[in-house]
């Protein structure tokens, strides 16, 4: 055949090699399409379809037979009923895939190129599930991805706010008497968009939401598993209204845009209430807003659910049960420091134990624990709070951060000696940003 007689096609791989072996393409055409896809930074499958070399249907059937994989007609299923929020929408769009289902530790992925190992590895890493490929036709897949790409905007318009509400108390101190500002705050599409972003972040188990204005665009990113992912780019015109809405429900001054502000808000999500910590920062093109999700139930998930290896879990459990000593918990943003600490505190939180924490600020409300917020303006620093704790007959102390030598010195002495009484003192420190410079 012409296919086998042409230039050696052993250098070809993936779909190109399959099509050459099946006689759908000759080697020279396949090589040209491979080069074209590289130059245009598109997938080989997209280049083949665009060039009209092979039809989407023929391509799907050829791959299914050659690779012994199941073939699915996407037009026969209801796209609305496909699983949501299992993988990041940007990841699905980047690798041209769609999630069809999940069973046990397997995830079923519909795609036109099942030879894409990079996509398989990214899916496995993101979901911690083993991907199983199902062949689908490229044109039908493209339509589903295109419709899901517009889902954020569509859902924003169609959302009803009856299933969740913000808990805004009467002591909100904002300067929104002006009709224009009040209109911005209560702008319905903006309210629904913010609610959707928060719900999506909770469903994706994100730790933070970033609302970022730039000169020519506005983007929203979620931090999931320690990695920031771009979720959507709403219209730039939304930035002022969105900022005003977030400030109102966070009890911040919406007229102040020149200095950073910090606040909190609560979202009632069905029978569940979730707190959020809000931080605003003036930038060149508007206010960047970061929202940290503070889910109180995360402290009660149990040590088994945190993903520790057995040996590490056993070491941690042994350490927190000692009568004295210090446990240092360090790691990057979103790595689970706070959840790990509060899970340990929840385990140790018994009627006969006096637990005190000092944080900036306290992120999770834990009944039975005496929690103190740092207030630098009034002089309530980590070291001042720690000195006071030592006069409060403590059993366990948690220090949110060691920022200076004095705090480090007090914490070390309390952990080593258990000074003042026979009770033990366990100092759990979530961050030690100045540990190197704090050495004597």
């Amino acid at each position: 055949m012409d296919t086998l007689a042409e230039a050696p096609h052993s250098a070809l791989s993936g779909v190109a090699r399959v099509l050459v072996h099946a006689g759908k393409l000759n080697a020279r055409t396949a090589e040209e399409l491979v080069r074209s896809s590289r130059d245009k930074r598109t997938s080989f499958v997209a280049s083949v379809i665009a060039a009209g070399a092979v039809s989407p249907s023929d391509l799907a059937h050829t791959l299914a037979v050659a690779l012994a994989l199941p073939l699915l007609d996407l037009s026969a299923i209801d796209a609305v009923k496909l699983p949501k929020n299992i993988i990041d929408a940007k990841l699905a769009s980047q690798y041209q895939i769609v999630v069809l289902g999940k069973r046990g530790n397997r995830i079923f992925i519909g795609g036109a190129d099942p030879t894409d190992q990079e996509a398989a590895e990214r899916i496995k890493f993101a979901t911690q599930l083993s991907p199983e490929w199902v062949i689908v036709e490229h044109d039908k897949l493209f339509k589903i991805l295109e419709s899901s790409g517009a889902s954020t905007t569509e859902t924003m318009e169609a959302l009803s706010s009856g299933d969740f509400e913000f808990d805004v108390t009467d002591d909100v101190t904002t300067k929104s008497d002006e009709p224009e500002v009040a209109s911005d705050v209560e702008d319905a599409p903006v309210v629904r968009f913010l609610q959707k972003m928060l719900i999506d972040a909770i469903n994706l188990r994100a730790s933070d939401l970033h609302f970022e204005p730039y000169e020519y665009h506005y983007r929203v990113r979620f931090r999931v598993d320690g990695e920031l992912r771009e979720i959507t780019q709403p219209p730039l015109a939304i930035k002022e209204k969105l900022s005003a809405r977030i400030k109102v429900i966070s009890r911040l001054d919406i007229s102040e845009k020149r200095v950073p502000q910090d606040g909190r808000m609560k979202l009632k999500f069905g029978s569940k209430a979730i707190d959020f910590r809000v931080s605003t920062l003036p930038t060149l093109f508007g206010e960047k807003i970061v929202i940290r999700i503070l889910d109180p139930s995360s402290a009660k998930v149990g040590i088994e659910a945190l993903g520790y290896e057995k040996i590490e879990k056993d070491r941690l459990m042994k350490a927190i049960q000692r009568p004295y000593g210090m446990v240092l918990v360090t790691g990057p943003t979103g790595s689970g420091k706070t959840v790990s600490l509060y899970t340990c505190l929840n385990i140790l939180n018994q009627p006969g134990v006096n637990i005190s924490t000092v944080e900036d600020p306290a992120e999770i409300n834990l009944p039975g624990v005496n929690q103190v917020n740092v207030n630098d303006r009034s002089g309530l620093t980590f070291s001042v709070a720690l000195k006071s704790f030592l006069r409060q007959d403590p059993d366990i102390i948690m220090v949110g951060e060691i920022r200076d030598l004095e705090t480090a010195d007090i914490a070390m002495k309390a952990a080593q000696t258990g000074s003042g009484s026979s009770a033990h003192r366990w100092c759990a420190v979530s961050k030690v940003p100045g540990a190197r410079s704090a050495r004597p």
Side-chain angles (χ1 to χ4, degrees):
M1 278 181 70
D2 182 48
T3 332
L4 301 174
E6 291 241 9
H9 52 263
S10 58
L12 296 172
S13 61
V15 175
R17 187 177 180 84
V18 171
L19 292 177
V20 170
H21 275 294
K24 301 296 180 179
L25 290 177
N26 59 54
R28 184 175 301 160
T29 302
E31 288 170 358
E32 289 174 355
L33 289 170
V34 168
R35 283 195 296 270
S36 174
S37 65
R38 286 175 182 167
D39 293 340
K40 296 178 180 178
R41 296 185 178 181
T42 60
S43 68
F44 175 76
V45 170
S47 295
V48 170
I49 302 299
V54 182
S55 70
S57 176
D58 196 9
L59 174 63
H61 282 82
T62 301
L63 290 175
V65 172
L67 302 176
L69 290 172
L71 175 66
L72 175 68
D73 183 3
L74 286 177
S75 63
I77 65 173
D78 185 359
V80 176
K81 295 181 179 179
L82 289 173
K84 302 289 191 303
N85 300 323
I86 295 180
I87 65 172
D88 185 49
K90 188 175 181 181
L91 185 68
S93 177
Q94 179 182 352
Y95 291 105
Q96 296 288 288
I97 53 175
V98 62
V99 178
L100 300 173
K102 185 176 74 168
R103 182 181 301 164
N105 66 342
R106 296 183 298 166
I107 181 172
F108 296 93
I109 301 295
D113 183 3
T115 65
D116 191 342
Q117 291 302 313
E118 181 182 338
E121 289 299 321
R122 286 290 301 275
I123 295 166
K124 187 174 182 180
F125 177 79
T127 64
Q128 297 299 303
L129 300 171
S130 299
E132 299 279 345
W133 285 100
V134 176
I135 307 293
V136 297
E137 295 171 38
H138 183 267
D139 54 343
K140 296 175 182 177
L141 172 63
F142 181 78
K143 288 180 180 177
I144 286 183
L145 290 174
E146 192 176 38
S147 63
S148 65
S151 65
T152 298
T153 304
E154 292 170 359
T155 310
M156 179 181 75
E157 296 297 334
L159 259 175
S160 137
S161 58
D163 295 331
F164 42 83
E165 61 178 344
F166 289 103
D167 183 15
V168 184
T169 58
D170 295 332
D171 64 341
V172 177
T173 55
T174 59
K175 299 176 182 177
S176 58
D177 296 332
E178 297 88 346
E180 292 182 6
V181 176
S183 176
D184 286 351
V185 169
E186 299 302 330
D187 188 273
V190 171
V191 171
R192 290 196 292 266
F193 176 76
L194 175 60
Q195 290 171 333
K196 174 172 170 52
M197 289 296 98
L198 293 174
I199 298 301
D200 286 352
I202 293 167
N203 290 334
L204 288 171
R205 298 176 182 270
S207 61
D208 301 87
L209 298 85
H210 292 241
F211 297 88
E212 303 170 315
Y214 296 96
E215 187 174 7
Y216 300 112
H217 72 283
Y218 190 91
R219 72 176 177 181
V220 179
R221 295 191 292 174
F222 294 170
R223 188 177 292 278
V224 181
D225 297 328
E227 178 186 2
L228 276 175
R229 304 179 183 177
E230 184 174 314
I231 301 300
T232 184
Q233 289 193 12
L236 186 60
I238 203 176
K239 67 178 183 179
E240 297 295 342
K241 295 180 179 181
L242 187 58
S243 173
R245 176 62 182 170
I246 293 173
K247 283 183 174 182
V248 164
I249 57 180
S250 305
R251 306 177 182 91
L252 300 178
D253 184 353
I254 64 175
S255 66
E256 181 56 79
K257 303 177 183 179
R258 298 164 298 177
V259 296
Q261 297 187 71
D262 295 301
R264 294 174 77 101
M265 63 185 183
K266 179 178 288 187
L267 177 66
K268 293 179 179 178
F269 184 36
S271 60
K272 191 176 182 181
I274 297 178
D275 290 317
F276 300 87
R277 189 180 75 204
V278 179
S279 173
T280 71
L281 178 68
T283 66
L284 285 176
F285 305 105
E287 288 180 291
K288 174 178 177 177
I289 298 176
V290 176
I291 300 177
R292 165 65 61 90
I293 299 176
L294 310 174
D295 187 356
S297 63
S298 62
K300 302 176 183 178
V301 295
I303 196 74
E304 301 290 344
L306 297 184
Y308 284 103
E309 296 290 340
K310 186 179 185 305
I311 185 171
E312 298 297 336
K313 183 194 72 174
D314 292 343
R315 285 175 180 170
L316 178 60
M317 294 302 295
K318 184 178 179 181
I320 67 174
Q321 297 294 344
R322 288 176 179 170
Y324 59 88
M326 175 182 286
V327 176
L328 293 175
V329 181
T330 64
T333 301
S335 60
K337 299 185 296 296
T338 300
V339 172
S340 294
L341 285 174
Y342 271 96
T343 299
C344 293
L345 288 179
N346 196 49
I347 293 171
L348 298 168
N349 188 15
Q350 303 296 330
V353 180
N354 180 21
I355 303 176
S356 296
T357 75
V358 54
E359 302 166 78
D360 186 18
E363 296 190 354
I364 297 174
N365 182 24
L366 194 60
V369 174
N370 306 293
Q371 297 173 278
V372 175
N373 278 333
V374 166
N375 188 336
D376 290 326
R377 291 183 179 179
S378 63
L380 181 56
T381 62
F382 281 105
S383 59
V384 170
L386 198 48
K387 287 177 184 177
S388 180
F389 286 169
L390 296 178
R391 296 190 290 270
Q392 292 275 319
D393 185 30
D395 294 310
I396 298 169
I397 296 172
M398 187 186 88
V399 185
E401 297 179 37
I402 289 183
R403 294 178 174 176
D404 51 54
L405 182 59
E406 185 181 13
T407 306
D409 185 55
I410 298 170
M412 288 296 294
K413 287 179 179 177
Q416 288 174 341
T417 65
S419 59
S421 72
S422 60
H424 64 275
R425 286 163 173 79
W426 166 62
C427 296
V429 186
S430 65
K431 298 178 186 176
V432 197
R436 186 179 298 275
S437 60
R439 292 176 182 171

